[in-house]
Structure formats: C-alpha cells, structure tokens
Amino acid sequence: MRCSLLSFLLGVTALHAAAESIVVGKYPAKIVPQQISEISLPENGLLSDLADETQHQQVDAVIAIINKEQTAEERENLELKIARERISLTDDMRKLQAQRRQVKFYLSLSKEERRYNTDFKSDPNPPTQESLKDIDERIALLQKELDSLERRHTKEFDRKHNPLTLRMPFSGRLQYNVILPEDRSKPFRLPEVGGRSFATVCDDSAFYITIALSEGSNALLKPENFSVTVSLPEGQQLRGEFAFRRVERQASTDLLAYYFRVPADAHDRAYSMLGGKYTATLHYEAGSGITRVSKATLATHPKAEQCSDWEELISIAYPDHNIVVIGAKDIILRPKQ
C-alpha cells in the first residue's frame, strides 16, 4: 500500500503543468457541405445542353434540358393557337360592339320612330335596357378572355415544360450520377433514368466535419472550445473549428451533432472526401488555471478499486477540484472557487 501511495503522490507532483488542449476521444465522422441536393429526371427523353461538371455553377444555371426541340415545336404551336383564338375573340368582340350600337340607337328612338326602324322591325322581341345590359356583360367577358388569353395558355405550358429544364438550386459544384456519352454536342437519350438520381449538387460555400456526442457531460462544456482533426495520408490533417450544434435523429435516437467548419483553403480536399466514413479526434481547450491528471496515474490511487467511476475517484483524490472534462487519457480539473 505504501509503495502504491508513493507512486501516486509522485505522479501528482508532475501533473500541475501548463494547460494544453486535451483529446476528449475519437468519434465516427463524416464530411458534409453547406447543403446538398439530388436532381432527378422527371421523365425520359432526349438530353441536351448539359452543364460542365468541372466548372463551378451559379444558382439557376441550366444543368440539362429534356426534349428541347420538341418543346420548341410545341411553343410554336402554342403561339399559333393563341393567335387564332385572339383573332376569333376579337371578331366576336367587334360583332357584339356593332350589335350594342344598334340596340343603343334603337333605345334612343321615340315610340313613333321605332316603327320606322328596320333593324328590329321583324323582331317579335325588340331590344330593351336588359338587352343592352346583357350585351355589355358579354363584351366584358370577352375582354377578360382576351386579356388573360396568353397568360392562361402560357401558365399551362410552363407547368408542363419548365420541369424539363433542370437548374442549379443553389451555387456550387455538380456531379452527374449516370454514365454520359463522350460526345455531348448532340441530343442523346439515357435508358430508364426517369425518377432516378441524375445529378448531385453540392453547395461548396462551406464544408463541415460532423460528429455526434452521446455523453451528456460534454454537452455542458463550452462548444466553442471544441475542435476536431481527421488524419489524412502522408501525415496531413483536416482540421475543423466549432461552427454550431443541433439535435439530430439517428437510428431512432436523438444525438447532439457538432459541426466543425473546414477552412477555405481545404475545401477541395473536403469535397473529395464527401461520402466517406472517417474517424475524428475531438479536442477541447480547457484554458488556464487547470490541472491535467493522467488516467493511468489516477488508477494507481489506493481507493481506485473502491470507486465506480472517475467522478467518484476525483472527489476522493482531488476534493478541492471540479472536473472540467474527462478525456481519452487525461482528466482536466479546475480548483473550486
């Protein structure tokens, strides 16, 4: 017992060192962009005007057009249909306006003068004020049809054909999820792709390393003091600084997801890592005035075997300290106020 206690005390004297970031642990991680969207083809057809996936694309830029020539032909037919209907409605309008002039003139005549009017002499039901009102209503209705003629037909046309022009939902990078022909200068058809993912659009304005923490104690720490690193080949690292956190549902469980922003100069590397599974090392900057306790040293405490967890052991070994964070190898303590 004396030897064990002595080794523990010797370890304690070496623990009051300058504060450094502590490794909290290693967690499954993934790289995610600011936002991402899957683009599907609404129907099969001839594809043309494909965007260059090697170039950054702006919001609303055309990704691809389906049945472009057919749409152009249908638009020409629509314009002819609108022109014909306008001529017909205009002709009907002129006839009603001429009829209105006749009725109005007839109603302006005296009873005696109407006997000599030839326009309605043989009509068993000569015009009345109600007749004039009815003509006015019909003229107003025709005018509404004329005013809305192009809008009504164009709205129906756009509802059918606008989805055939695929556009960027936001600025970013584009990746096609189908095999495309080498020669894209001519329209081509892809077999059975309707409804399937055609392209993925990635908002590359920001990338994040995201991990999920299930330990409730970590949620009480200052989130801005966290950072993560992901090991890369040749000794390199992808680093992320805390950006935000939110509760997310994963496998029927609510977890606290932390998002760490990747620096702008590493965006290309982060983009190439999308979709992969990684392990991130979580760091915590505890600040000054702290004591770093090695778990290995703390485990040699005479009362270690009698304690059920690190918290209980710390309360015995360091009764004048509070736990800041329990890391993978160390525990960070701060003196009680």
Side-chain angles (χ1 to χ4, degrees), residues 11 89 245:
L89 289 172
R245 64 181 181 180

Coordinates of all heavy atoms in Angstrom, one line a residue, residues 11 89 245:
G11 N 3.3 11.0 -9.0 CA 2.6 11.3 -10.2 C 1.9 12.6 -10.1 O 1.9 13.5 -11.0
L89 N -61.7 35.8 -80.9 CA -62.3 36.6 -79.8 C -62.5 38.0 -80.3 O -63.5 38.7 -79.9 CB -61.5 36.5 -78.6 CG -61.5 35.1 -77.9 CD1 -60.4 35.1 -76.7 CD2 -62.9 34.8 -77.3
R245 N -24.1 23.4 -33.3 CA -24.5 22.1 -32.9 C -26.0 22.1 -32.9 O -26.7 23.1 -32.8 CB -24.0 21.7 -31.5 CG -24.5 22.6 -30.4 CD -24.0 22.1 -29.0 NE -24.5 23.0 -27.9 CZ -24.2 22.8 -26.6 NH1 -23.3 21.9 -26.3 NH2 -24.7 23.6 -25.7

